[in-house]
Amino acid sequence: MLSFGSTSSSTPSAVNFDHFQILRAIGKGSFGKVCIVQKRDTEKMYAMKYMNKQQCIERDEVRNVFRELEILQEIEHVFLVNLWYSFQDEEDMFMVVDLLLGGDLRYHLQQNVQFTEETVKLYICEMALALDYLRSQHIIHRDVKPDNILLDEQGHAHLTDFNIATIIRDGERATALAGTKPYMAPEIFHSFLSGGTGYSFEVDWWSLGIMAYELLRGWRPYDIHSNNPVESLVQLFSTVSVQYSSAWSKEMVALLRKLLTVNPEHRFSCLAHIQASAQLSAVVWSDVCEKRVEPAFVPNKGRLHCDPTFELEEMILESRPLHKKKKRLAKNKSRDNSKDSSQSENDYLQECLEAIQQDFVIFNREK
């Protein structure tokens, strides 16, 4: 019997697809699509990510989805994109999360937004609070980058996408080569090559430094691409030194240097380091926590900060459009009932689908 994780039984009052009105498609990730939805009873708006079960099985990504759900169900923070509900039907797994309409930082970089030091400093503070919280929950995110930082309409930063996050308990170290290469800390490559002692929470703070540099300058401090071999990257970190812009304040350069320290033992890698730094001595942290510090960059109100082609794709190209789901599932049911189940074309696929159905954890944060 296949199993993907902890078992949960659905209760009659569990939230499901019918409790939401689909408003529009806004994007797609590596193996899921995202749309804006409104919960019918409360009229609250959310983002809903949905992942096709069969595709997840074919790409061997079911465990990743379960892992992400397991993590998201246990955490909640003002600077994270929080999970509110998870549920499933025959075709898809659904995650309903905070709706953030300010777009991600990659989108704004592509729109050539000139981020000021003041703006980037606030992002560093907000992300420092998020990362410190994750550390308290034993979580390494492993994919901090502009694509995974979403802004709300006021311009505050929120970390999303726990697809490759990992949980490490007391004194454990992570060893997997996981992340997006240009943002991955040197010790991840080092550990992979030499089988050393592994790595820990410090890797997320390196990624934060790379991202902060990129926001300020428009390009990253190291010329690293996904196809660079690991050996060459280990060499790179020991030979190339980061060039800081002369236009930046001494304080900002000092802060970036501390985040981009190759040796993790000497790197800024917790909230206490950040709070004690001369560069951020004027920050009123209670105000940051309460979102009382006004961001200098506020996304344009009334503009949806995403690629408009997603909506078209969902309507025209999508073979299983969401708005026709009810009709389709009813049709499938009658087809299934008329088919001799012993003539199943793909037993393994069927077994996997049944395992997902059984192991998927239904979640409702309101309860």
Side-chain angles (χ1 to χ4, degrees), residues 146-295:
D147 321 54
N148 287 338
I149 310 287
L150 299 181
L151 300 181
D152 60 23
E153 287 177 281
Q154 288 70 47
H156 295 286
H158 302 71
L159 182 59
T160 189
D161 199 346
F162 285 75
N163 185 29
I164 58 171
T166 190
I167 299 170
I168 58 166
R169 300 280 170 202
D170 327 302
E172 282 180 350
R173 312 274 291 170
T175 53
L177 187 70
T180 303
K181 268 189 187 164
Y183 300 91
M184 286 160 69
E187 61 266 31
I188 301 180
F189 302 117
H190 212 273
S191 162
F192 178 75
L193 266 193
S194 63
T197 55
Y199 57 88
S200 192
F201 304 100
E202 298 87 1
V203 300
D204 285 340
W205 298 79
W206 170 276
S207 307
L208 179 60
I210 296 283
M211 184 186 82
Y213 183 108
E214 182 175 12
L215 292 174
L216 285 168
R217 196 149 206 188
W219 62 84
R220 293 183 290 269
Y222 295 97
D223 187 27
I224 295 173
H225 303 278
S226 56
N227 56 358
N228 287 124
V230 172
E231 295 79 2
S232 69
L233 296 178
V234 170
Q235 181 71 22
L236 177 87
F237 291 120
S238 59
T239 53
V240 174
S241 59
V242 173
Q243 303 300 306
Y244 295 94
S245 168
S246 56
W248 297 344
S249 69
K250 285 206 294 287
E251 290 76 20
M252 180 53 82
V253 172
L255 180 56
L256 291 177
R257 277 190 200 281
K258 280 300 202 178
L259 289 168
L260 296 177
T261 297
V262 171
N263 183 342
E265 289 176 25
H266 301 148
R267 186 182 305 150
F268 270 8
S269 56
C270 68
L271 185 60
H273 291 161
I274 294 279
Q275 289 177 327
S277 69
Q279 303 87 320
L280 299 174
S281 57
V283 172
V284 180
W285 287 91
S286 55
D287 286 352
V288 177
C289 289
E290 300 290 330
K291 290 187 174 176
R292 286 198 296 260
V293 179
E294 284 190 25

Side-chain angles (χ1 to χ4, degrees), residues 76-91:
E76 184 175 4
H77 191 268
V78 63
F79 296 120
L80 296 179
V81 177
N82 298 294
L83 177 73
W84 283 89
Y85 313 98
S86 62
F87 50 89
Q88 62 174 333
D89 63 17
E90 291 96 307
E91 293 181 328

Side-chain angles (χ1 to χ4, degrees), residues 120-148:
V120 174
K121 197 161 88 172
L122 182 59
Y123 295 157
I124 291 172
C125 292
E126 292 179 340
M127 286 303 99
L129 288 164
L131 292 179
D132 192 67
Y133 169 74
L134 291 181
R135 183 177 192 144
S136 75
Q137 305 297 304
H138 314 284
I139 296 162
I140 311 178
H141 185 278
R142 298 202 289 196
D143 211 13
V144 175
K145 57 183 180 180
D147 321 54
N148 287 338

